[in-house]
Coordinates of all heavy atoms in Angstrom, one line a residue:
Q885 N -13.3 10.1 14.0 CA -14.1 9.3 14.8 C -14.0 7.8 14.5 O -14.4 7.0 15.3 CB -15.5 9.6 14.4 CG -15.9 11.0 14.9 CD -17.3 11.5 14.4 OE1 -18.0 10.7 13.7 NE2 -17.8 12.6 14.8
R886 N -13.2 7.4 13.4 CA -12.9 6.1 13.2 C -11.6 5.6 13.8 O -11.2 4.5 13.4 CB -12.9 5.8 11.6 CG -14.3 5.9 10.9 CD -14.1 5.4 9.6 NE -13.5 6.4 8.7 CZ -14.1 7.3 8.0 NH1 -15.3 7.5 8.1 NH2 -13.3 8.1 7.2
C887 N -10.9 6.4 14.6 CA -9.7 6.1 15.2 C -9.9 5.8 16.7 O -10.8 6.4 17.3 CB -8.7 7.3 15.2 SG -8.3 7.9 13.6
S888 N -9.2 4.8 17.2 CA -9.3 4.4 18.6 C -8.0 4.0 19.1 O -7.0 3.7 18.4 CB -10.3 3.3 18.9 OG -9.9 2.1 18.1
F889 N -7.8 4.2 20.5 CA -6.5 3.9 21.1 C -6.5 2.6 22.0 O -7.6 2.5 22.6 CB -6.1 5.1 21.9 CG -4.9 4.8 22.9 CD1 -3.6 4.7 22.4 CD2 -5.2 4.6 24.2 CE1 -2.6 4.4 23.2 CE2 -4.2 4.4 25.1 CZ -2.8 4.4 24.7
V890 N -5.6 1.7 21.8 CA -5.3 0.6 22.9 C -3.9 0.8 23.3 O -3.1 0.9 22.6 CB -5.7 -0.7 22.2 CG1 -4.8 -1.0 21.1 CG2 -5.7 -1.8 23.3
A891 N -3.7 0.7 24.6 CA -2.4 0.8 25.3 C -1.6 -0.5 24.8 O -2.1 -1.6 25.2 CB -2.5 1.0 26.7
L892 N -0.5 -0.4 24.4 CA 0.4 -1.4 24.0 C 1.9 -1.1 24.2 O 2.5 -0.2 23.5 CB 0.2 -1.9 22.6 CG 1.2 -2.9 22.0 CD1 1.2 -4.2 22.8 CD2 1.1 -3.2 20.5
D893 N 2.5 -1.6 25.2 CA 4.0 -1.5 25.4 C 4.6 -2.8 25.0 O 4.6 -3.8 25.7 CB 4.2 -1.2 26.8 CG 5.7 -1.0 27.1 OD1 6.6 -1.1 26.2 OD2 6.1 -0.6 28.4
L894 N 5.4 -2.9 23.8 CA 5.9 -4.1 23.3 C 7.1 -4.6 24.1 O 7.7 -5.6 24.0 CB 6.4 -3.9 21.9 CG 5.2 -3.7 20.9 CD1 5.8 -3.1 19.6 CD2 4.3 -4.9 20.8
G895 N 7.5 -3.7 25.1 CA 8.7 -4.0 26.0 C 8.2 -4.9 27.1 O 8.9 -5.2 28.0
S896 N 6.9 -5.2 27.1 CA 6.2 -5.9 28.2 C 5.3 -7.0 27.6 O 4.3 -6.6 27.0 CB 5.4 -5.1 29.2 OG 4.6 -5.8 30.0
L897 N 5.6 -8.2 27.7 CA 4.6 -9.2 27.2 C 3.2 -9.2 28.0 O 2.2 -9.6 27.3 CB 5.2 -10.6 27.3 CG 6.6 -10.8 26.5 CD1 7.1 -12.2 26.7 CD2 6.3 -10.5 25.0
H898 N 3.3 -8.7 29.3 CA 2.0 -8.6 30.0 C 1.1 -7.6 29.3 O -0.1 -7.6 29.2 CB 2.3 -8.3 31.5 CG 1.1 -8.1 32.2 ND1 0.2 -9.0 32.5 CD2 0.5 -6.9 32.7 CE1 -0.9 -8.5 33.3 NE2 -0.5 -7.1 33.4
S899 N 1.8 -6.4 28.9 CA 1.1 -5.3 28.3 C 0.6 -5.8 26.9 O -0.5 -5.5 26.5 CB 1.9 -4.1 28.1 OG 1.4 -3.1 27.3
T900 N 1.3 -6.7 26.2 CA 0.9 -7.1 24.9 C -0.3 -8.1 25.1 O -1.3 -7.9 24.3 CB 2.1 -7.9 24.3 OG1 3.3 -7.0 24.2 CG2 1.7 -8.4 23.0
K901 N -0.3 -8.8 26.1 CA -1.5 -9.7 26.2 C -2.6 -8.9 26.7 O -3.8 -9.2 26.2 CB -1.1 -10.7 27.3 CG -2.2 -11.8 27.7 CD -1.8 -12.8 28.6 CE -3.0 -13.7 28.9 NZ -2.6 -14.8 29.9
R902 N -2.5 -7.9 27.5 CA -3.6 -7.1 27.9 C -4.3 -6.3 26.7 O -5.5 -6.2 26.6 CB -3.1 -6.2 29.1 CG -4.3 -5.4 29.7 CD -3.8 -4.5 30.9 NE -2.6 -3.8 30.6 CZ -1.5 -3.5 31.3 NH1 -1.5 -4.1 32.5 NH2 -0.7 -2.7 30.9
A903 N -3.4 -5.8 25.9 CA -3.8 -5.1 24.7 C -4.6 -6.1 23.7 O -5.7 -5.6 23.2 CB -2.6 -4.5 23.9
A904 N -4.2 -7.2 23.6 CA -4.9 -8.3 22.7 C -6.3 -8.5 23.3 O -7.3 -8.6 22.6 CB -4.0 -9.5 22.6
E905 N -6.3 -8.7 24.6 CA -7.6 -8.9 25.3 C -8.5 -7.8 25.1 O -9.7 -8.0 24.9 CB -7.4 -9.2 26.8 CG -6.6 -10.5 27.0 CD -6.2 -10.8 28.5 OE1 -6.3 -9.8 29.2 OE2 -5.8 -11.9 28.8
E906 N -8.1 -6.5 25.2 CA -8.9 -5.4 25.1 C -9.5 -5.3 23.6 O -10.6 -5.1 23.4 CB -8.1 -4.2 25.3 CG -8.9 -2.8 25.2 CD -10.0 -2.8 26.2 OE1 -10.0 -3.3 27.3 OE2 -11.0 -2.1 25.8
V907 N -8.5 -5.6 22.6 CA -9.0 -5.6 21.2 C -10.1 -6.6 21.0 O -11.1 -6.4 20.3 CB -7.8 -5.8 20.2 CG1 -8.3 -6.0 18.8 CG2 -6.9 -4.7 20.3
K908 N -10.0 -7.8 21.5 CA -10.9 -8.9 21.4 C -12.1 -8.6 22.1 O -13.3 -9.1 21.6 CB -10.4 -10.2 21.8 CG -9.3 -10.8 20.9 CD -9.0 -12.2 21.2 CE -8.0 -12.4 22.3 NZ -7.5 -13.7 22.5
K909 N -12.2 -7.7 23.1 CA -13.5 -7.2 23.7 C -14.2 -6.3 22.8 O -15.5 -6.4 22.7 CB -13.2 -6.6 25.0 CG -12.8 -7.5 26.2 CD -12.5 -6.6 27.4 CE -12.0 -7.4 28.6 NZ -11.7 -6.7 29.8
R910 N -13.5 -5.5 22.1 CA -14.1 -4.5 21.2 C -14.5 -5.0 19.8 O -15.3 -4.5 19.1 CB -13.2 -3.3 21.0 CG -12.7 -2.6 22.3 CD -11.7 -1.5 21.9 NE -11.1 -0.9 23.0 CZ -10.1 0.0 22.9 NH1 -9.9 0.6 21.7 NH2 -9.3 0.5 23.9
H911 N -13.8 -6.0 19.2 CA -13.9 -6.4 17.9 C -14.0 -7.9 17.7 O -13.3 -8.6 18.5 CB -12.7 -5.9 17.0 CG -12.6 -4.4 17.0 ND1 -13.2 -3.5 16.2 CD2 -11.8 -3.6 17.9 CE1 -12.9 -2.3 16.5 NE2 -12.0 -2.4 17.4
K912 N -14.7 -8.3 16.7 CA -14.8 -9.7 16.5 C -14.1 -10.2 15.2 O -14.0 -11.4 14.9 CB -16.3 -10.1 16.2 CG -17.2 -9.9 17.5 CD -18.5 -10.6 17.4 CE -19.3 -10.3 18.7 NZ -18.7 -10.9 19.9
H913 N -13.4 -9.1 14.6 CA -12.8 -9.5 13.4 C -11.7 -8.3 13.1 O -12.0 -7.1 13.3 CB -13.6 -9.6 12.1 CG -13.0 -9.9 10.9 ND1 -12.9 -9.0 9.8 CD2 -12.4 -11.1 10.4 CE1 -12.1 -9.6 8.8 NE2 -11.8 -10.8 9.2
I914 N -10.5 -8.6 12.5 CA -9.6 -7.7 12.0 C -9.3 -8.0 10.6 O -9.0 -9.2 10.3 CB -8.3 -7.8 12.9 CG1 -8.5 -7.2 14.3 CG2 -7.2 -7.0 12.2 CD1 -7.3 -7.3 15.1
D915 N -9.4 -7.0 9.6 CA -9.0 -7.1 8.4 C -7.5 -7.0 8.1 O -7.0 -7.6 7.1 CB -9.8 -6.1 7.5 CG -11.3 -6.3 7.6 OD1 -11.9 -7.3 7.0 OD2 -12.0 -5.6 8.4
M916 N -6.9 -6.0 8.9 CA -5.5 -5.8 8.7 C -4.7 -5.7 10.0 O -5.3 -5.0 10.8 CB -5.4 -4.5 7.9 CG -5.7 -4.5 6.4 SD -5.9 -2.9 5.7 CE -7.6 -2.6 6.1

Side-chain angles (χ1 to χ4, degrees):
Q885 293 176 357
R886 289 191 290 270
C887 301
S888 61
F889 166 74
V890 64
L892 171 65
D893 180 358
L894 294 166
S896 165
L897 296 182
H898 176 70
S899 172
T900 303
K901 183 178 181 180
R902 188 170 56 217
E905 291 172 348
E906 181 62 29
V907 171
K908 287 193 282 189
K909 287 179 183 177
R910 303 182 196 174
H911 301 274
K912 298 192 180 297
H913 179 255
I914 286 180
D915 297 282
M916 290 163 270

